[in-house]
Amino acid sequence: MTGAEEGGGQLMLTVLLRHDQSQHLEQIQASLEERDWWHGFPPEGCEIVSWVVAMGIGQIVTLRFPAERLAAVNVELERRAWGVFQTDFYPTYDFLPVRERLTREADARRGQG
């Protein structure tokens, strides 16, 4: 669902956590542990929509949260991810309902033509 479909005020954000390839896995895990990464990110009030590893890139995390939590997400990434990952951010929305609607509309046009 998009924020509009949820009644507004909700954001989805995809965060690309690019691996620092100058560090091996044990160094990365030690840094994350030192920063209490697994307990501190994402901050309270955020739903994890998906969290996957893309080999050769890093971790890709999509979160859903109230718009007012955006600053908290940013602060926790600065506090816990910087120095371990290079971070990229992408505003995100769920395209599946749109795709389904467009498919239905295309099917309807084919049936008319």
Side-chain angles (χ1 to χ4, degrees), residues 43-90:
E44 191 172 320
C46 297
E47 171 194 354
I48 298 170
V49 176
S50 67
W51 195 317
V52 299
V53 170
M55 293 171 53
I57 296 173
Q59 299 177 33
I60 303 169
V61 181
T62 300
L63 303 174
R64 180 181 293 121
F65 52 88
E68 63 269 12
R69 299 297 295 155
L70 181 60
V73 171
N74 182 60
V75 167
E76 290 308 320
L77 283 164
E78 290 175 354
R79 178 179 290 141
R80 300 175 195 281
W82 286 10
V84 182
F85 300 107
Q86 176 187 1
T87 56
D88 299 308
F89 307 92
Y90 303 94

Short mmCIF file of all heavy atoms in Angstrom, two decimals, residues 43-90:
data_model
loop_
_atom_site.label_atom_id
_atom_site.label_comp_id
_atom_site.label_asym_id
_atom_site.label_seq_id
_atom_site.Cartn_x
_atom_site.Cartn_y
_atom_site.Cartn_z
N PRO A 43 14.86 1.99 14.35
CA PRO A 43 14.34 2.48 15.63
C PRO A 43 12.89 2.07 15.85
O PRO A 43 12.20 1.65 14.91
CB PRO A 43 14.47 4.00 15.49
CG PRO A 43 14.50 4.27 14.03
CD PRO A 43 15.12 3.05 13.40
N GLU A 44 12.46 2.22 17.07
CA GLU A 44 11.09 1.88 17.44
C GLU A 44 10.10 2.64 16.55
O GLU A 44 10.33 3.78 16.16
CB GLU A 44 10.85 2.26 18.90
CG GLU A 44 9.57 1.72 19.48
CD GLU A 44 9.49 1.95 20.98
OE1 GLU A 44 10.51 1.79 21.66
OE2 GLU A 44 8.38 2.30 21.43
N GLY A 45 9.02 1.98 16.20
CA GLY A 45 7.99 2.60 15.39
C GLY A 45 8.15 2.33 13.90
O GLY A 45 7.35 2.81 13.11
N CYS A 46 9.18 1.58 13.54
CA CYS A 46 9.43 1.25 12.13
C CYS A 46 9.14 -0.22 11.88
O CYS A 46 9.52 -1.07 12.68
CB CYS A 46 10.88 1.53 11.75
SG CYS A 46 11.34 3.25 11.88
N GLU A 47 8.48 -0.49 10.78
CA GLU A 47 8.21 -1.87 10.37
C GLU A 47 9.23 -2.25 9.29
O GLU A 47 9.45 -1.50 8.34
CB GLU A 47 6.80 -1.95 9.79
CG GLU A 47 6.48 -3.27 9.13
CD GLU A 47 5.21 -3.21 8.28
OE1 GLU A 47 4.50 -2.19 8.28
OE2 GLU A 47 4.95 -4.21 7.59
N ILE A 48 9.83 -3.41 9.43
CA ILE A 48 10.71 -3.93 8.39
C ILE A 48 9.83 -4.61 7.35
O ILE A 48 9.18 -5.60 7.64
CB ILE A 48 11.74 -4.92 8.96
CG1 ILE A 48 12.64 -4.23 9.98
CG2 ILE A 48 12.56 -5.54 7.82
CD1 ILE A 48 13.53 -5.19 10.78
N VAL A 49 9.80 -4.06 6.14
CA VAL A 49 9.02 -4.63 5.05
C VAL A 49 9.81 -5.76 4.41
O VAL A 49 9.29 -6.83 4.11
CB VAL A 49 8.66 -3.55 4.01
CG1 VAL A 49 7.94 -4.15 2.80
CG2 VAL A 49 7.83 -2.44 4.65
N SER A 50 11.11 -5.52 4.20
CA SER A 50 11.99 -6.57 3.69
C SER A 50 13.43 -6.24 4.07
O SER A 50 13.77 -5.08 4.31
CB SER A 50 11.87 -6.72 2.17
OG SER A 50 12.38 -5.58 1.52
N TRP A 51 14.25 -7.29 4.16
CA TRP A 51 15.67 -7.13 4.48
C TRP A 51 16.38 -8.28 3.77
O TRP A 51 16.25 -9.43 4.18
CB TRP A 51 15.89 -7.20 5.97
CG TRP A 51 17.22 -6.72 6.45
CD1 TRP A 51 18.46 -6.98 5.91
CD2 TRP A 51 17.47 -5.91 7.60
NE1 TRP A 51 19.44 -6.37 6.64
CE2 TRP A 51 18.85 -5.70 7.69
CE3 TRP A 51 16.64 -5.34 8.56
CZ2 TRP A 51 19.44 -4.94 8.70
CZ3 TRP A 51 17.22 -4.59 9.56
CH2 TRP A 51 18.61 -4.39 9.63
N VAL A 52 17.08 -7.96 2.70
CA VAL A 52 17.74 -8.98 1.90
C VAL A 52 19.21 -8.64 1.73
O VAL A 52 19.63 -7.49 1.90
CB VAL A 52 17.08 -9.15 0.51
CG1 VAL A 52 15.63 -9.58 0.64
CG2 VAL A 52 17.19 -7.88 -0.31
N VAL A 53 19.98 -9.66 1.39
CA VAL A 53 21.38 -9.48 1.03
C VAL A 53 21.50 -9.65 -0.48
O VAL A 53 20.98 -10.62 -1.04
CB VAL A 53 22.29 -10.49 1.75
CG1 VAL A 53 23.71 -10.46 1.20
CG2 VAL A 53 22.30 -10.21 3.25
N ALA A 54 22.14 -8.70 -1.12
CA ALA A 54 22.46 -8.79 -2.54
C ALA A 54 23.97 -9.00 -2.61
O ALA A 54 24.74 -8.08 -2.30
CB ALA A 54 22.03 -7.54 -3.28
N MET A 55 24.37 -10.20 -2.97
CA MET A 55 25.79 -10.53 -2.99
C MET A 55 26.55 -9.55 -3.87
O MET A 55 26.12 -9.21 -4.96
CB MET A 55 25.99 -11.97 -3.47
CG MET A 55 25.46 -12.99 -2.49
SD MET A 55 25.44 -14.69 -3.11
CE MET A 55 27.10 -14.92 -3.66
N GLY A 56 27.68 -9.07 -3.35
CA GLY A 56 28.50 -8.12 -4.07
C GLY A 56 28.09 -6.67 -3.85
O GLY A 56 28.81 -5.76 -4.22
N ILE A 57 26.92 -6.46 -3.24
CA ILE A 57 26.45 -5.10 -2.97
C ILE A 57 26.36 -4.86 -1.48
O ILE A 57 26.99 -3.97 -0.94
CB ILE A 57 25.07 -4.85 -3.62
CG1 ILE A 57 25.19 -4.94 -5.14
CG2 ILE A 57 24.52 -3.48 -3.21
CD1 ILE A 57 23.87 -4.87 -5.86
N GLY A 58 25.55 -5.66 -0.80
CA GLY A 58 25.34 -5.48 0.63
C GLY A 58 23.92 -5.85 1.01
O GLY A 58 23.30 -6.71 0.40
N GLN A 59 23.41 -5.15 2.00
CA GLN A 59 22.07 -5.40 2.51
C GLN A 59 21.12 -4.33 1.98
O GLN A 59 21.49 -3.16 1.89
CB GLN A 59 22.08 -5.41 4.03
CG GLN A 59 22.99 -6.49 4.60
CD GLN A 59 23.06 -6.45 6.11
OE1 GLN A 59 22.09 -6.10 6.78
NE2 GLN A 59 24.21 -6.81 6.65
N ILE A 60 19.91 -4.77 1.65
CA ILE A 60 18.89 -3.85 1.16
C ILE A 60 17.70 -3.96 2.11
O ILE A 60 17.10 -5.03 2.24
CB ILE A 60 18.47 -4.19 -0.28
CG1 ILE A 60 19.70 -4.16 -1.20
CG2 ILE A 60 17.39 -3.22 -0.75
CD1 ILE A 60 19.46 -4.73 -2.58
N VAL A 61 17.41 -2.86 2.79
CA VAL A 61 16.37 -2.84 3.82
C VAL A 61 15.27 -1.89 3.38
O VAL A 61 15.55 -0.75 3.01
CB VAL A 61 16.95 -2.34 5.17
CG1 VAL A 61 15.89 -2.34 6.25
CG2 VAL A 61 18.17 -3.14 5.58
N THR A 62 14.04 -2.36 3.41
CA THR A 62 12.90 -1.48 3.15
C THR A 62 12.09 -1.39 4.43
O THR A 62 11.72 -2.40 5.03
CB THR A 62 12.03 -1.99 1.99
OG1 THR A 62 12.85 -2.05 0.81
CG2 THR A 62 10.85 -1.06 1.73
N LEU A 63 11.85 -0.15 4.85
CA LEU A 63 11.12 0.15 6.08
C LEU A 63 9.84 0.89 5.76
O LEU A 63 9.75 1.61 4.76
CB LEU A 63 11.96 1.05 7.00
CG LEU A 63 13.33 0.55 7.40
CD1 LEU A 63 14.06 1.64 8.18
CD2 LEU A 63 13.23 -0.72 8.22
N ARG A 64 8.85 0.73 6.64
CA ARG A 64 7.62 1.53 6.59
C ARG A 64 7.48 2.16 7.98
O ARG A 64 7.62 1.47 8.99
CB ARG A 64 6.41 0.66 6.28
CG ARG A 64 5.10 1.46 6.22
CD ARG A 64 3.87 0.59 5.93
NE ARG A 64 3.95 0.05 4.59
CZ ARG A 64 3.94 -1.25 4.29
NH1 ARG A 64 3.88 -2.16 5.24
NH2 ARG A 64 3.99 -1.65 3.05
N PHE A 65 7.18 3.45 8.00
CA PHE A 65 7.09 4.14 9.28
C PHE A 65 6.32 5.44 9.13
O PHE A 65 6.18 5.97 8.02
CB PHE A 65 8.49 4.41 9.86
CG PHE A 65 9.42 5.10 8.91
CD1 PHE A 65 9.47 6.47 8.82
CD2 PHE A 65 10.27 4.36 8.10
CE1 PHE A 65 10.32 7.10 7.94
CE2 PHE A 65 11.15 4.97 7.22
CZ PHE A 65 11.17 6.37 7.14
N PRO A 66 5.82 5.97 10.26
CA PRO A 66 5.15 7.27 10.22
C PRO A 66 6.17 8.34 9.80
O PRO A 66 7.34 8.29 10.19
CB PRO A 66 4.69 7.49 11.66
CG PRO A 66 4.69 6.14 12.28
CD PRO A 66 5.77 5.36 11.58
N ALA A 67 5.71 9.31 9.02
CA ALA A 67 6.59 10.34 8.49
C ALA A 67 7.41 11.02 9.59
O ALA A 67 8.59 11.34 9.38
CB ALA A 67 5.78 11.38 7.71
N GLU A 68 6.83 11.19 10.74
CA GLU A 68 7.55 11.88 11.82
C GLU A 68 8.73 11.07 12.37
O GLU A 68 9.54 11.59 13.12
CB GLU A 68 6.61 12.30 12.96
CG GLU A 68 5.94 11.16 13.69
CD GLU A 68 4.59 10.77 13.10
OE1 GLU A 68 4.23 11.21 11.99
OE2 GLU A 68 3.89 9.99 13.77
N ARG A 69 8.87 9.81 11.98
CA ARG A 69 10.00 8.98 12.43
C ARG A 69 11.21 9.06 11.49
O ARG A 69 12.24 8.45 11.75
CB ARG A 69 9.57 7.51 12.56
CG ARG A 69 8.47 7.24 13.56
CD ARG A 69 8.85 7.59 14.98
NE ARG A 69 9.92 6.73 15.44
CZ ARG A 69 10.80 7.04 16.39
NH1 ARG A 69 10.75 8.21 16.98
NH2 ARG A 69 11.73 6.20 16.75
N LEU A 70 11.10 9.82 10.40
CA LEU A 70 12.19 9.90 9.43
C LEU A 70 13.49 10.37 10.08
O LEU A 70 14.56 9.79 9.84
CB LEU A 70 11.80 10.82 8.26
CG LEU A 70 12.86 10.97 7.17
CD1 LEU A 70 13.20 9.63 6.53
CD2 LEU A 70 12.38 11.97 6.13
N ALA A 71 13.43 11.40 10.90
CA ALA A 71 14.65 11.89 11.56
C ALA A 71 15.26 10.82 12.45
O ALA A 71 16.49 10.67 12.48
CB ALA A 71 14.34 13.15 12.37
N ALA A 72 14.44 10.05 13.14
CA ALA A 72 14.96 8.98 14.01
C ALA A 72 15.65 7.90 13.19
O ALA A 72 16.70 7.38 13.60
CB ALA A 72 13.83 8.36 14.84
N VAL A 73 15.10 7.57 12.03
CA VAL A 73 15.74 6.59 11.15
C VAL A 73 17.10 7.12 10.72
O VAL A 73 18.11 6.41 10.77
CB VAL A 73 14.85 6.28 9.92
CG1 VAL A 73 15.60 5.45 8.89
CG2 VAL A 73 13.57 5.58 10.36
N ASN A 74 17.15 8.38 10.31
CA ASN A 74 18.41 8.98 9.89
C ASN A 74 19.45 8.97 11.01
O ASN A 74 20.60 8.58 10.79
CB ASN A 74 18.16 10.42 9.41
CG ASN A 74 19.43 11.06 8.91
OD1 ASN A 74 20.05 10.57 7.98
ND2 ASN A 74 19.82 12.14 9.54
N VAL A 75 19.05 9.37 12.20
CA VAL A 75 19.99 9.42 13.33
C VAL A 75 20.54 8.03 13.65
O VAL A 75 21.73 7.86 13.87
CB VAL A 75 19.32 10.06 14.57
CG1 VAL A 75 20.15 9.82 15.84
CG2 VAL A 75 19.10 11.54 14.34
N GLU A 76 19.67 7.02 13.65
CA GLU A 76 20.15 5.67 13.97
C GLU A 76 21.10 5.15 12.89
O GLU A 76 22.06 4.44 13.20
CB GLU A 76 18.99 4.71 14.20
CG GLU A 76 18.23 4.99 15.48
CD GLU A 76 19.13 5.08 16.71
OE1 GLU A 76 20.08 4.29 16.85
OE2 GLU A 76 18.88 5.97 17.55
N LEU A 77 20.85 5.49 11.64
CA LEU A 77 21.80 5.09 10.59
C LEU A 77 23.13 5.80 10.77
O LEU A 77 24.19 5.18 10.65
CB LEU A 77 21.22 5.37 9.21
CG LEU A 77 20.17 4.36 8.77
CD1 LEU A 77 19.36 4.90 7.60
CD2 LEU A 77 20.84 3.03 8.41
N GLU A 78 23.10 7.09 11.09
CA GLU A 78 24.34 7.82 11.33
C GLU A 78 25.09 7.24 12.53
O GLU A 78 26.30 7.09 12.51
CB GLU A 78 24.05 9.30 11.56
CG GLU A 78 23.60 10.03 10.33
CD GLU A 78 23.19 11.47 10.59
OE1 GLU A 78 23.16 11.90 11.77
OE2 GLU A 78 22.91 12.18 9.61
N ARG A 79 24.36 6.92 13.57
CA ARG A 79 24.96 6.42 14.80
C ARG A 79 25.51 5.00 14.65
O ARG A 79 26.56 4.67 15.17
CB ARG A 79 23.89 6.44 15.90
CG ARG A 79 24.36 5.90 17.24
CD ARG A 79 23.25 5.97 18.28
NE ARG A 79 23.01 7.37 18.61
CZ ARG A 79 21.81 7.90 18.84
NH1 ARG A 79 20.73 7.16 18.77
NH2 ARG A 79 21.68 9.17 19.12
N ARG A 80 24.80 4.16 13.91
CA ARG A 80 25.13 2.73 13.93
C ARG A 80 25.72 2.18 12.63
O ARG A 80 26.45 1.20 12.66
CB ARG A 80 23.88 1.94 14.29
CG ARG A 80 23.35 2.33 15.67
CD ARG A 80 22.05 1.66 16.01
NE ARG A 80 21.39 2.26 17.13
CZ ARG A 80 21.71 2.07 18.41
NH1 ARG A 80 22.72 1.29 18.73
NH2 ARG A 80 21.01 2.67 19.36
N ALA A 81 25.39 2.77 11.48
CA ALA A 81 25.83 2.20 10.20
C ALA A 81 27.09 2.87 9.65
O ALA A 81 27.89 2.21 8.99
CB ALA A 81 24.71 2.30 9.17
N TRP A 82 27.23 4.16 9.91
CA TRP A 82 28.38 4.86 9.34
C TRP A 82 29.67 4.28 9.88
O TRP A 82 29.79 3.95 11.06
CB TRP A 82 28.30 6.34 9.65
CG TRP A 82 27.25 7.06 8.83
CD1 TRP A 82 26.29 6.49 8.04
CD2 TRP A 82 27.07 8.46 8.74
NE1 TRP A 82 25.52 7.47 7.46
CE2 TRP A 82 25.97 8.68 7.87
CE3 TRP A 82 27.70 9.55 9.32
CZ2 TRP A 82 25.51 9.96 7.57
CZ3 TRP A 82 27.24 10.82 9.01
CH2 TRP A 82 26.17 11.01 8.13
N GLY A 83 30.62 4.10 9.01
CA GLY A 83 31.88 3.47 9.37
C GLY A 83 31.88 1.97 9.13
O GLY A 83 32.91 1.33 9.16
N VAL A 84 30.68 1.42 8.90
CA VAL A 84 30.54 0.00 8.59
C VAL A 84 30.02 -0.16 7.17
O VAL A 84 30.50 -1.00 6.42
CB VAL A 84 29.58 -0.70 9.59
CG1 VAL A 84 29.46 -2.18 9.28
CG2 VAL A 84 30.03 -0.47 11.03
N PHE A 85 29.03 0.64 6.82
CA PHE A 85 28.41 0.59 5.51
C PHE A 85 28.47 1.97 4.86
O PHE A 85 28.47 2.99 5.55
CB PHE A 85 26.91 0.23 5.61
CG PHE A 85 26.62 -1.09 6.24
CD1 PHE A 85 26.08 -1.17 7.52
CD2 PHE A 85 26.84 -2.28 5.55
CE1 PHE A 85 25.78 -2.39 8.10
CE2 PHE A 85 26.54 -3.51 6.12
CZ PHE A 85 26.01 -3.56 7.39
N GLN A 86 28.43 1.98 3.55
CA GLN A 86 28.12 3.19 2.80
C GLN A 86 26.61 3.12 2.59
O GLN A 86 26.09 2.07 2.20
CB GLN A 86 28.84 3.22 1.46
CG GLN A 86 28.47 4.41 0.62
CD GLN A 86 29.07 4.34 -0.77
OE1 GLN A 86 29.75 3.40 -1.14
NE2 GLN A 86 28.78 5.35 -1.57
N THR A 87 25.90 4.21 2.86
CA THR A 87 24.44 4.16 2.81
C THR A 87 23.89 4.99 1.66
O THR A 87 24.38 6.06 1.34
CB THR A 87 23.84 4.68 4.14
OG1 THR A 87 24.33 6.00 4.39
CG2 THR A 87 24.21 3.78 5.30
N ASP A 88 22.85 4.44 1.03
CA ASP A 88 22.07 5.14 0.01
C ASP A 88 20.60 4.99 0.41
O ASP A 88 20.21 3.95 0.96
CB ASP A 88 22.28 4.52 -1.37
CG ASP A 88 23.72 4.60 -1.84
OD1 ASP A 88 24.30 5.69 -1.82
OD2 ASP A 88 24.25 3.55 -2.24
N PHE A 89 19.80 6.00 0.09
CA PHE A 89 18.39 6.02 0.49
C PHE A 89 17.50 6.27 -0.71
O PHE A 89 17.81 7.12 -1.55
CB PHE A 89 18.14 7.14 1.51
CG PHE A 89 19.07 7.09 2.67
CD1 PHE A 89 20.26 7.80 2.65
CD2 PHE A 89 18.77 6.32 3.77
CE1 PHE A 89 21.13 7.74 3.72
CE2 PHE A 89 19.64 6.25 4.84
CZ PHE A 89 20.82 6.97 4.82
N TYR A 90 16.39 5.56 -0.75
CA TYR A 90 15.45 5.69 -1.86
C TYR A 90 14.02 5.70 -1.32
O TYR A 90 13.59 4.69 -0.75
CB TYR A 90 15.62 4.53 -2.84
CG TYR A 90 17.02 4.44 -3.38
CD1 TYR A 90 17.96 3.60 -2.78
CD2 TYR A 90 17.42 5.22 -4.46
CE1 TYR A 90 19.27 3.54 -3.25
CE2 TYR A 90 18.73 5.16 -4.94
CZ TYR A 90 19.64 4.32 -4.33
OH TYR A 90 20.93 4.26 -4.79
#
